[in-house]
Amino acid sequence: MDASNYRRVPVGVVAPRDAEDVAAALAVCAEAGVPVVPRGGGTSIAGQATGTGVVLDLTRHMDSLVSLDPAARTAVVQPGLVLDRLRDAARPHGLTFGPDPSTHSRCTLGGMIGNNACGAHSVAWGTTADNVAELAVTTYGGSAHRLGTGWEGAPDGLRELVSANLAVLRTGMAGGFSRRISGYGGLDALLPERGVQVARAFCGSEGTLGVVTEAAVRLVELPAAPALAVLGYADESAAAQAAAGLLGYGPLTVEGMAADLVGDAASGLPRGGAWLFAEMRDEGAARALIRASDAVDALLLTDPAAQRALWRIREDAAGTATRMPDGTMAWPGWEDCAVPPARLGAYLPEFRALLAQHGLRGSPYGHFGEGCVHVRIDFDLVTPEGVARFRAFSYDLADLVVAHGGSLSGEHGDGQARAELLPRMYGPSVIDLFESAKRVWDPAGGMNPGILVRPARLDENLRFAVLPSLPFAGEVARCVGVAKCRSTEVGGPGVMCPSYRATGEERHSTRGRARLLHEMLAGEVLRDGWRSAEVAGALDLCLGCKGCRSDCPVGVDMAAYKAEFLHRHWAGRLRPLSHYALGGLPFWLRLIAGLRLAGPLNLVSRVLRIPGLERARALPRVARTPFTRAWRAASRSAGGGPLPALRPFPGLRPDPSRGSAPDPAPQTPAGLDSAASGENPAPPAFEARGSGGWPPGTGPGGARGTVEGRVGDGRPQGTPGTVVTVWPDTFTEYLAPEAGHAAVRVLRAAGLEPVVQPGRVCCGLTYISTGRLDTARRVLRRTLDAVGDPQGPVTVLEPSCAAALRTDLPALLPEDPRAPRLAAAVRTFAETLEEYAPDWQPPRLDRPVAGQTHCHQHAVLGDGPDRRLRERAGLTGGLSGGCCGLAGNFGFEPGHHEVSVACAEEQLLPSLRAAAPGTEVLADGFSCRTQIAQLAGGRARHLAEVLAEGLPEPGVHRM
């Protein structure tokens, strides 16, 4: 499978290391009569990257940038090189590769050549064919060819074929426009008056003629300060009609979207029901375009970050368009047909009318400046009636496109989705010429058969046909293969997919795992069902980070799929020891606390390792006194009145440069015994490597932050009497009670009335992550019994537990009405303060921060309130995105350590090494704090701890 609706099962996959390997594979396959399909990133949406023979995966090894010549503005690339890697290398020279599909972070140059890909900037810089100078190609059987301009290197018979068909090329393929990509749409480049551009003619052949092993491409100059003009129009038709009129102003892009696709993001756009994104070379050109346009409203953006934010809406459209407003899915199949730009305004209303006529829905968008329209349509590709409608609609739409002088494909190729319809676009003589060209290049017919020439029917090989009618199958099928999970881009807040970035293997990407689950359910290739070792192996390195839940454009939740698989995979069998040791963590910690065994366990764990766990990992220390036990002791001490103010817990140790002053004595909350904190010492302070430690008077353990505003006197500032229930999650309760005590103190300072949730409560996270779903349901039902009906916010300090309560709880207990009520009450620490104490001013700490945003917080909860709270407290800088790599039980399980460390080395550890002296290290997730402690040698803290440290001492009033 690729990113299309189609599925063809190969006999094997070969990952060649060089051109010689490609030639050898093609020779062997030709001798055996086995077809070959070259494949790049697998983002093709028409089925041309699927095949029944041998698939050549050109991304594993043939992914190099061979050379880059800034003076000549050229580069030599291997076919598996991802476009963004070429652009990254060219950018320091003020250059780029012009074509830029929205999949630029994972599509390959070989795939772009195969499909003649374009992208948003093709209105200025052309298609891939316009930017290719030379190609090294190997044909079926192993013959090598070097293609450029002129007949040298062309296969025998091609020159004669062109000479015999000059009239067909000049008339049958006349009247083309920039986006005529369908069929062998570049054959007319072989005409003598066009310079016999053999390399150009090869582009867009979709792997049916040969395999590209190297390419020389042209680069273009990047504008120094591009500006984005966003133009608002009354509706889609008005925007489409205006697009062609903007071309005379030299735009770099003219992208169109309507309100039904943009959704809530429209709040950041100019007034209107549809928009054109016109990028110009500079601000002056953008202003001139705005003045000349007939837009009802406009927005000019010169800030690169603001421009990227809006472009992200467009780039994610291929995924977001797959979901209808009612939550149903829409599919590719008519993703990129194109008409001449001047015809687009007339074409789109007729296209919408045709959708309605067939009872279908879709949201068009795309490259309006070149008349190319993308759309995902809510086809029923499962029932015979739905498939018949798909077929009938395809024929009607092909006729509509041709009636407007258009091309069935405008940039992604025909594949299996549209090749059957090529006779509707081209006359018989052109179709015969296509078949003759195929015979010249591939006389044996071994290259990607069923595509373009003698094509398969557009309604066969549909990937949905093999799936059973199960809810889980519907979840797996929602992966449409756009492969955002294959992005290797590091940096920014995104998380998906850490295991793919660590291994580079498709099976360890979100898409790869979804495809394996698809095959497991189909039962044709993987025949062991839920006991499949192949699926288990692929899911083993899934960190359960939930990054795909938010970062995947279609919301694939591989962590949930993994839990379901493990639940069924190990049903009725003895599980791995880690599932009992780590999956049952709440039980074991409660038992240890009840037997008062924390001290002995901490001593023993220094020298012994628990069987079934990663031996390179030390176990976290267990607190001597659980959070709720200390809370109850404080309650008894208060004699039923208001609880005594809790004093701050010790932070990191002071800077060693401050001399030999002893560490401050642990400060315990009033009314609590010293065991609550003092007997569970913190690990050594984190010191940014090479930084020389914390400067005097700053950082944790140094001078307290300045106190500004009304908080300075320690009096509550929130709405009096607002009761906040603090959730004693397993990690806060038994492993990090200092975070709980700090949170209580801060909530009180904010004028709220914190109480701790009584009873045995648990979010079930560890049982879910190890696939013990029956146990998780029992635990969650018991939790609901203990909680009852929440009467106010439930503040959960551990992000993973908050995410589990907010999403996994209602998913696992869909029939229990109490589940969504508790889920709706859950708040993070920062959310609680923002919603229920909006006027409270936190202590002013004025120091930089580094650390980790928990991946579950990114994926489920969001970190906006946290960022705003840090800003108000004077905590500057951002936390690392991605995943820390420990991911709960993942990093403690055997065989995961290498991947766990690799994930931490992406963003987290480099950011800590680069941190300036005095930097506060923050991580609200216990796993993240543990990873930092074990790999960076220091202690990170929960935001609540840092804020509590900045509060004045109880009873101290500062002016």
Side-chain angles (χ1 to χ4, degrees), residues 58-115:
L58 300 167
T59 65
R60 291 298 304 279
H61 306 296
M62 297 182 68
D63 60 350
S64 297
L65 173 59
V66 179
S67 65
L68 193 152
D69 186 341
R73 295 185 180 178
T74 59
V76 177
V77 302
Q78 290 187 316
L81 180 68
V82 171
L83 173 59
D84 269 0
R85 302 291 76 75
L86 172 60
R87 300 204 306 173
D88 291 344
R91 189 175 296 111
H93 306 286
L95 303 172
T96 192
F97 187 66
D100 58 342
S102 61
T103 55
H104 54 80
S105 65
R106 60 271 191 197
C107 70
T108 65
L109 271 296
M112 293 177 67
I113 292 166
N115 292 340

Short mmCIF file of all heavy atoms in Angstrom, two decimals, residues 58-115:
data_model
loop_
_atom_site.label_atom_id
_atom_site.label_comp_id
_atom_site.label_asym_id
_atom_site.label_seq_id
_atom_site.Cartn_x
_atom_site.Cartn_y
_atom_site.Cartn_z
N LEU A 58 14.00 2.47 -2.34
CA LEU A 58 15.17 3.30 -2.63
C LEU A 58 15.50 4.27 -1.52
O LEU A 58 16.43 5.08 -1.64
CB LEU A 58 14.94 4.05 -3.95
CG LEU A 58 14.72 3.12 -5.15
CD1 LEU A 58 14.18 3.90 -6.33
CD2 LEU A 58 16.01 2.40 -5.52
N THR A 59 14.74 4.22 -0.42
CA THR A 59 14.96 5.18 0.67
C THR A 59 15.94 4.67 1.72
O THR A 59 16.47 5.48 2.49
CB THR A 59 13.63 5.52 1.37
OG1 THR A 59 13.12 4.34 2.01
CG2 THR A 59 12.61 6.03 0.38
N ARG A 60 16.17 3.38 1.79
CA ARG A 60 16.98 2.84 2.88
C ARG A 60 18.46 3.20 2.73
O ARG A 60 19.13 3.55 3.71
CB ARG A 60 16.83 1.31 2.96
CG ARG A 60 15.47 0.83 3.41
CD ARG A 60 15.16 1.30 4.83
NE ARG A 60 16.17 0.88 5.80
CZ ARG A 60 16.22 -0.32 6.35
NH1 ARG A 60 15.32 -1.22 6.04
NH2 ARG A 60 17.17 -0.63 7.22
N HIS A 61 18.99 3.10 1.52
CA HIS A 61 20.42 3.30 1.32
C HIS A 61 20.75 4.33 0.24
O HIS A 61 21.75 5.04 0.35
CB HIS A 61 21.10 1.97 0.97
CG HIS A 61 20.84 0.88 1.95
ND1 HIS A 61 21.27 0.93 3.26
CD2 HIS A 61 20.18 -0.30 1.83
CE1 HIS A 61 20.89 -0.17 3.90
NE2 HIS A 61 20.22 -0.93 3.06
N MET A 62 19.93 4.42 -0.80
CA MET A 62 20.23 5.31 -1.92
C MET A 62 19.59 6.68 -1.66
O MET A 62 18.73 7.15 -2.41
CB MET A 62 19.75 4.69 -3.23
CG MET A 62 20.47 3.40 -3.56
SD MET A 62 19.98 2.68 -5.13
CE MET A 62 20.64 3.88 -6.29
N ASP A 63 20.05 7.33 -0.61
CA ASP A 63 19.41 8.56 -0.14
C ASP A 63 20.39 9.70 0.04
O ASP A 63 20.20 10.58 0.87
CB ASP A 63 18.68 8.30 1.18
CG ASP A 63 19.60 7.81 2.28
OD1 ASP A 63 20.78 7.49 2.00
OD2 ASP A 63 19.16 7.75 3.45
N SER A 64 21.44 9.70 -0.76
CA SER A 64 22.51 10.67 -0.58
C SER A 64 22.36 11.89 -1.49
O SER A 64 21.83 11.80 -2.60
CB SER A 64 23.87 10.03 -0.86
OG SER A 64 24.14 8.98 0.05
N LEU A 65 22.85 13.00 -0.99
CA LEU A 65 23.10 14.17 -1.82
C LEU A 65 24.53 14.02 -2.33
O LEU A 65 25.49 14.20 -1.58
CB LEU A 65 22.94 15.46 -1.01
CG LEU A 65 23.33 16.77 -1.68
CD1 LEU A 65 22.54 16.99 -2.96
CD2 LEU A 65 23.19 17.94 -0.73
N VAL A 66 24.68 13.68 -3.59
CA VAL A 66 26.00 13.36 -4.14
C VAL A 66 26.87 14.61 -4.23
O VAL A 66 28.05 14.61 -3.86
CB VAL A 66 25.85 12.69 -5.52
CG1 VAL A 66 27.23 12.38 -6.11
CG2 VAL A 66 25.02 11.42 -5.41
N SER A 67 26.29 15.71 -4.72
CA SER A 67 27.05 16.95 -4.84
C SER A 67 26.08 18.12 -4.97
O SER A 67 24.92 17.95 -5.36
CB SER A 67 27.99 16.91 -6.05
OG SER A 67 27.26 16.84 -7.26
N LEU A 68 26.59 19.30 -4.65
CA LEU A 68 25.81 20.53 -4.81
C LEU A 68 26.77 21.62 -5.28
O LEU A 68 27.79 21.87 -4.63
CB LEU A 68 25.14 20.92 -3.50
CG LEU A 68 24.05 22.00 -3.57
CD1 LEU A 68 23.04 21.81 -2.45
CD2 LEU A 68 24.67 23.41 -3.46
N ASP A 69 26.46 22.23 -6.40
CA ASP A 69 27.30 23.26 -7.00
C ASP A 69 26.55 24.59 -6.94
O ASP A 69 25.71 24.87 -7.80
CB ASP A 69 27.63 22.90 -8.44
CG ASP A 69 28.63 23.87 -9.07
OD1 ASP A 69 28.78 24.98 -8.55
OD2 ASP A 69 29.24 23.49 -10.08
N PRO A 70 26.82 25.42 -5.92
CA PRO A 70 26.07 26.68 -5.81
C PRO A 70 26.27 27.61 -7.00
O PRO A 70 25.35 28.31 -7.40
CB PRO A 70 26.64 27.30 -4.53
CG PRO A 70 27.25 26.17 -3.77
CD PRO A 70 27.75 25.23 -4.80
N ALA A 71 27.48 27.63 -7.57
CA ALA A 71 27.74 28.52 -8.68
C ALA A 71 26.92 28.14 -9.91
O ALA A 71 26.35 29.00 -10.59
CB ALA A 71 29.23 28.52 -9.01
N ALA A 72 26.85 26.83 -10.17
CA ALA A 72 26.07 26.36 -11.32
C ALA A 72 24.59 26.20 -10.99
O ALA A 72 23.78 25.97 -11.89
CB ALA A 72 26.63 25.03 -11.81
N ARG A 73 24.26 26.29 -9.70
CA ARG A 73 22.89 26.10 -9.23
C ARG A 73 22.36 24.72 -9.66
O ARG A 73 21.27 24.59 -10.21
CB ARG A 73 21.97 27.21 -9.74
CG ARG A 73 22.31 28.58 -9.18
CD ARG A 73 21.29 29.62 -9.61
NE ARG A 73 21.64 30.94 -9.06
CZ ARG A 73 20.95 32.04 -9.31
NH1 ARG A 73 19.88 31.99 -10.09
NH2 ARG A 73 21.32 33.19 -8.79
N THR A 74 23.15 23.71 -9.38
CA THR A 74 22.75 22.33 -9.67
C THR A 74 23.09 21.43 -8.50
O THR A 74 23.93 21.78 -7.66
CB THR A 74 23.45 21.78 -10.93
OG1 THR A 74 24.87 21.83 -10.72
CG2 THR A 74 23.07 22.59 -12.16
N ALA A 75 22.46 20.30 -8.44
CA ALA A 75 22.77 19.29 -7.44
C ALA A 75 22.61 17.92 -8.08
O ALA A 75 21.82 17.75 -9.04
CB ALA A 75 21.84 19.40 -6.23
N VAL A 76 23.36 16.97 -7.59
CA VAL A 76 23.24 15.58 -8.03
C VAL A 76 22.73 14.78 -6.83
O VAL A 76 23.32 14.85 -5.74
CB VAL A 76 24.58 15.02 -8.53
CG1 VAL A 76 24.43 13.55 -8.92
CG2 VAL A 76 25.07 15.83 -9.72
N VAL A 77 21.65 14.05 -7.03
CA VAL A 77 20.98 13.38 -5.92
C VAL A 77 20.72 11.92 -6.27
O VAL A 77 20.60 11.55 -7.43
CB VAL A 77 19.64 14.07 -5.59
CG1 VAL A 77 19.86 15.53 -5.24
CG2 VAL A 77 18.66 13.95 -6.75
N GLN A 78 20.63 11.11 -5.22
CA GLN A 78 20.15 9.74 -5.38
C GLN A 78 18.63 9.75 -5.21
O GLN A 78 18.05 10.66 -4.60
CB GLN A 78 20.81 8.83 -4.35
CG GLN A 78 22.29 8.59 -4.64
CD GLN A 78 22.89 7.55 -3.71
OE1 GLN A 78 22.66 7.56 -2.50
NE2 GLN A 78 23.69 6.64 -4.27
N PRO A 79 17.95 8.73 -5.72
CA PRO A 79 16.48 8.78 -5.76
C PRO A 79 15.80 8.75 -4.40
O PRO A 79 14.68 9.23 -4.25
CB PRO A 79 16.11 7.54 -6.58
CG PRO A 79 17.27 6.62 -6.42
CD PRO A 79 18.47 7.51 -6.36
N GLY A 80 16.47 8.19 -3.38
CA GLY A 80 15.84 8.09 -2.07
C GLY A 80 16.05 9.30 -1.19
O GLY A 80 15.59 9.31 -0.05
N LEU A 81 16.71 10.34 -1.71
CA LEU A 81 16.93 11.54 -0.91
C LEU A 81 15.61 12.26 -0.69
O LEU A 81 14.88 12.55 -1.62
CB LEU A 81 17.91 12.47 -1.63
CG LEU A 81 18.23 13.78 -0.91
CD1 LEU A 81 19.02 13.53 0.37
CD2 LEU A 81 18.98 14.75 -1.83
N VAL A 82 15.33 12.57 0.57
CA VAL A 82 14.11 13.31 0.91
C VAL A 82 14.29 14.77 0.48
O VAL A 82 15.35 15.37 0.65
CB VAL A 82 13.82 13.21 2.42
CG1 VAL A 82 12.70 14.15 2.84
CG2 VAL A 82 13.45 11.77 2.78
N LEU A 83 13.22 15.34 -0.08
CA LEU A 83 13.29 16.69 -0.62
C LEU A 83 13.82 17.69 0.40
O LEU A 83 14.65 18.55 0.07
CB LEU A 83 11.91 17.12 -1.12
CG LEU A 83 11.78 18.58 -1.56
CD1 LEU A 83 12.76 18.91 -2.68
CD2 LEU A 83 10.35 18.88 -1.97
N ASP A 84 13.35 17.63 1.63
CA ASP A 84 13.79 18.61 2.63
C ASP A 84 15.28 18.54 2.91
O ASP A 84 15.90 19.55 3.28
CB ASP A 84 13.00 18.44 3.93
CG ASP A 84 11.75 19.30 3.96
OD1 ASP A 84 11.50 20.03 2.97
OD2 ASP A 84 11.02 19.25 4.97
N ARG A 85 15.90 17.37 2.73
CA ARG A 85 17.34 17.30 2.94
C ARG A 85 18.07 18.07 1.84
O ARG A 85 19.09 18.72 2.12
CB ARG A 85 17.79 15.83 2.96
CG ARG A 85 17.13 14.96 4.02
CD ARG A 85 17.56 15.31 5.43
NE ARG A 85 16.95 16.51 5.96
CZ ARG A 85 15.67 16.59 6.38
NH1 ARG A 85 14.88 15.53 6.34
NH2 ARG A 85 15.19 17.72 6.86
N LEU A 86 17.59 18.00 0.63
CA LEU A 86 18.17 18.79 -0.45
C LEU A 86 17.96 20.27 -0.19
O LEU A 86 18.88 21.09 -0.34
CB LEU A 86 17.55 18.39 -1.79
CG LEU A 86 17.92 19.26 -3.00
CD1 LEU A 86 19.43 19.25 -3.23
CD2 LEU A 86 17.18 18.80 -4.25
N ARG A 87 16.78 20.64 0.22
CA ARG A 87 16.49 22.05 0.47
C ARG A 87 17.32 22.58 1.64
O ARG A 87 17.77 23.73 1.61
CB ARG A 87 15.00 22.24 0.75
CG ARG A 87 14.13 21.79 -0.43
CD ARG A 87 12.78 22.44 -0.46
NE ARG A 87 12.02 22.32 0.77
CZ ARG A 87 10.86 22.94 0.99
NH1 ARG A 87 10.35 23.73 0.07
NH2 ARG A 87 10.21 22.78 2.13
N ASP A 88 17.51 21.75 2.67
CA ASP A 88 18.34 22.17 3.80
C ASP A 88 19.78 22.44 3.36
O ASP A 88 20.42 23.38 3.83
CB ASP A 88 18.33 21.10 4.89
CG ASP A 88 16.99 20.96 5.60
OD1 ASP A 88 16.16 21.88 5.45
OD2 ASP A 88 16.77 19.93 6.26
N ALA A 89 20.28 21.59 2.46
CA ALA A 89 21.65 21.77 2.00
C ALA A 89 21.79 22.97 1.08
O ALA A 89 22.83 23.65 1.07
CB ALA A 89 22.11 20.50 1.27
N ALA A 90 20.75 23.28 0.32
CA ALA A 90 20.81 24.39 -0.63
C ALA A 90 20.55 25.74 0.03
O ALA A 90 21.04 26.78 -0.44
CB ALA A 90 19.80 24.16 -1.76
N ARG A 91 19.81 25.74 1.14
CA ARG A 91 19.38 27.01 1.75
C ARG A 91 20.54 27.92 2.16
O ARG A 91 20.47 29.15 1.94
CB ARG A 91 18.48 26.71 2.95
CG ARG A 91 17.80 27.96 3.52
CD ARG A 91 16.83 27.61 4.64
NE ARG A 91 15.72 26.80 4.13
CZ ARG A 91 15.53 25.52 4.43
NH1 ARG A 91 16.37 24.89 5.23
NH2 ARG A 91 14.51 24.86 3.93
N PRO A 92 21.62 27.40 2.75
CA PRO A 92 22.72 28.32 3.11
C PRO A 92 23.31 29.06 1.92
O PRO A 92 23.95 30.10 2.10
CB PRO A 92 23.76 27.38 3.76
CG PRO A 92 22.97 26.21 4.24
CD PRO A 92 21.88 26.04 3.23
N HIS A 93 23.10 28.55 0.73
CA HIS A 93 23.60 29.20 -0.48
C HIS A 93 22.54 30.08 -1.13
O HIS A 93 22.73 30.57 -2.25
CB HIS A 93 24.06 28.14 -1.48
CG HIS A 93 25.06 27.17 -0.92
ND1 HIS A 93 26.39 27.52 -0.68
CD2 HIS A 93 24.94 25.87 -0.52
CE1 HIS A 93 27.02 26.48 -0.17
NE2 HIS A 93 26.18 25.48 -0.06
N GLY A 94 21.42 30.27 -0.44
CA GLY A 94 20.35 31.08 -1.00
C GLY A 94 19.60 30.40 -2.13
O GLY A 94 19.00 31.08 -2.97
N LEU A 95 19.62 29.07 -2.14
CA LEU A 95 19.01 28.31 -3.21
C LEU A 95 18.00 27.32 -2.67
O LEU A 95 17.97 27.02 -1.47
CB LEU A 95 20.09 27.55 -4.00
CG LEU A 95 21.22 28.39 -4.62
CD1 LEU A 95 22.30 27.48 -5.19
CD2 LEU A 95 20.68 29.31 -5.69
N THR A 96 17.18 26.78 -3.55
CA THR A 96 16.25 25.72 -3.19
C THR A 96 15.88 24.94 -4.44
O THR A 96 16.22 25.34 -5.57
CB THR A 96 14.99 26.29 -2.53
OG1 THR A 96 14.24 25.22 -1.93
CG2 THR A 96 14.10 27.01 -3.54
N PHE A 97 15.23 23.82 -4.24
CA PHE A 97 14.64 23.07 -5.36
C PHE A 97 13.21 23.55 -5.50
O PHE A 97 12.44 23.53 -4.54
CB PHE A 97 14.69 21.57 -5.09
CG PHE A 97 14.26 20.73 -6.27
CD1 PHE A 97 15.00 20.72 -7.44
CD2 PHE A 97 13.11 19.96 -6.21
CE1 PHE A 97 14.61 19.95 -8.53
CE2 PHE A 97 12.72 19.19 -7.29
CZ PHE A 97 13.47 19.18 -8.46
N GLY A 98 12.85 24.02 -6.67
CA GLY A 98 11.59 24.72 -6.86
C GLY A 98 10.34 23.93 -6.51
O GLY A 98 9.51 24.38 -5.71
N PRO A 99 10.11 22.75 -7.09
CA PRO A 99 8.91 21.98 -6.76
C PRO A 99 8.89 21.61 -5.28
O PRO A 99 9.90 21.15 -4.75
CB PRO A 99 9.02 20.75 -7.65
CG PRO A 99 9.91 21.17 -8.78
CD PRO A 99 10.89 22.13 -8.17
N ASP A 100 7.75 21.79 -4.63
CA ASP A 100 7.69 21.56 -3.18
C ASP A 100 6.32 21.02 -2.78
O ASP A 100 5.50 21.74 -2.22
CB ASP A 100 8.00 22.85 -2.41
CG ASP A 100 7.05 23.99 -2.76
OD1 ASP A 100 6.40 23.91 -3.82
OD2 ASP A 100 6.95 24.94 -1.98
N PRO A 101 6.06 19.76 -3.03
CA PRO A 101 4.79 19.17 -2.58
C PRO A 101 4.62 19.34 -1.07
O PRO A 101 5.60 19.52 -0.33
CB PRO A 101 4.93 17.69 -2.95
CG PRO A 101 6.01 17.63 -3.98
CD PRO A 101 6.94 18.77 -3.67
N SER A 102 3.39 19.27 -0.60
CA SER A 102 3.13 19.42 0.84
C SER A 102 3.77 18.31 1.65
O SER A 102 3.94 18.42 2.86
CB SER A 102 1.63 19.46 1.10
OG SER A 102 1.01 18.26 0.68
N THR A 103 4.16 17.22 0.99
CA THR A 103 4.84 16.11 1.67
C THR A 103 6.36 16.27 1.65
O THR A 103 7.09 15.29 1.77
CB THR A 103 4.47 14.78 1.00
OG1 THR A 103 4.76 14.86 -0.40
CG2 THR A 103 3.00 14.47 1.16
N HIS A 104 6.85 17.52 1.53
CA HIS A 104 8.28 17.77 1.35
C HIS A 104 9.15 17.20 2.45
O HIS A 104 10.34 16.97 2.24
CB HIS A 104 8.52 19.27 1.21
CG HIS A 104 7.96 20.08 2.33
ND1 HIS A 104 8.57 20.23 3.56
CD2 HIS A 104 6.80 20.79 2.41
CE1 HIS A 104 7.83 20.99 4.33
NE2 HIS A 104 6.74 21.36 3.68
N SER A 105 8.60 16.95 3.63
CA SER A 105 9.41 16.43 4.73
C SER A 105 9.66 14.94 4.61
O SER A 105 10.47 14.39 5.37
CB SER A 105 8.74 16.72 6.07
OG SER A 105 7.51 16.03 6.18
N ARG A 106 9.02 14.26 3.68
CA ARG A 106 9.23 12.81 3.54
C ARG A 106 9.20 12.31 2.10
O ARG A 106 9.60 11.19 1.82
CB ARG A 106 8.22 12.02 4.38
CG ARG A 106 6.76 12.24 4.03
CD ARG A 106 6.14 13.36 4.78
NE ARG A 106 4.68 13.41 4.65
CZ ARG A 106 3.96 14.48 4.95
NH1 ARG A 106 4.55 15.58 5.40
NH2 ARG A 106 2.65 14.46 4.84
N CYS A 107 8.73 13.09 1.13
CA CYS A 107 8.75 12.62 -0.26
C CYS A 107 10.18 12.64 -0.77
O CYS A 107 11.01 13.42 -0.32
CB CYS A 107 7.83 13.45 -1.15
SG CYS A 107 8.39 15.14 -1.47
N THR A 108 10.49 11.78 -1.72
CA THR A 108 11.85 11.65 -2.23
C THR A 108 11.95 12.22 -3.63
O THR A 108 10.96 12.33 -4.36
CB THR A 108 12.27 10.18 -2.26
OG1 THR A 108 11.45 9.47 -3.20
CG2 THR A 108 12.13 9.53 -0.88
N LEU A 109 13.17 12.54 -4.03
CA LEU A 109 13.39 13.07 -5.37
C LEU A 109 13.03 12.04 -6.43
O LEU A 109 12.48 12.39 -7.49
CB LEU A 109 14.84 13.51 -5.52
CG LEU A 109 15.19 14.96 -5.13
CD1 LEU A 109 14.46 15.95 -6.01
CD2 LEU A 109 14.89 15.23 -3.67
N GLY A 110 13.29 10.77 -6.16
CA GLY A 110 12.93 9.74 -7.14
C GLY A 110 11.43 9.66 -7.34
O GLY A 110 10.94 9.54 -8.48
N GLY A 111 10.67 9.73 -6.26
CA GLY A 111 9.22 9.72 -6.37
C GLY A 111 8.70 10.95 -7.07
O GLY A 111 7.74 10.88 -7.85
N MET A 112 9.33 12.10 -6.81
CA MET A 112 8.90 13.33 -7.47
C MET A 112 9.14 13.26 -8.97
O MET A 112 8.32 13.73 -9.77
CB MET A 112 9.65 14.52 -6.88
CG MET A 112 9.30 14.83 -5.43
SD MET A 112 10.28 16.19 -4.76
CE MET A 112 9.66 17.56 -5.74
N ILE A 113 10.25 12.65 -9.35
CA ILE A 113 10.53 12.48 -10.78
C ILE A 113 9.53 11.51 -11.39
O ILE A 113 8.99 11.73 -12.48
CB ILE A 113 11.98 11.98 -10.97
CG1 ILE A 113 12.96 13.09 -10.58
CG2 ILE A 113 12.21 11.51 -12.41
CD1 ILE A 113 14.39 12.62 -10.42
N GLY A 114 9.22 10.44 -10.66
CA GLY A 114 8.28 9.45 -11.18
C GLY A 114 6.90 10.01 -11.42
O GLY A 114 6.21 9.63 -12.38
N ASN A 115 6.46 10.93 -10.57
CA ASN A 115 5.11 11.50 -10.69
C ASN A 115 5.10 12.88 -11.35
O ASN A 115 4.02 13.43 -11.55
CB ASN A 115 4.47 11.63 -9.30
CG ASN A 115 4.15 10.29 -8.68
OD1 ASN A 115 4.07 9.29 -9.37
ND2 ASN A 115 4.01 10.27 -7.37
#
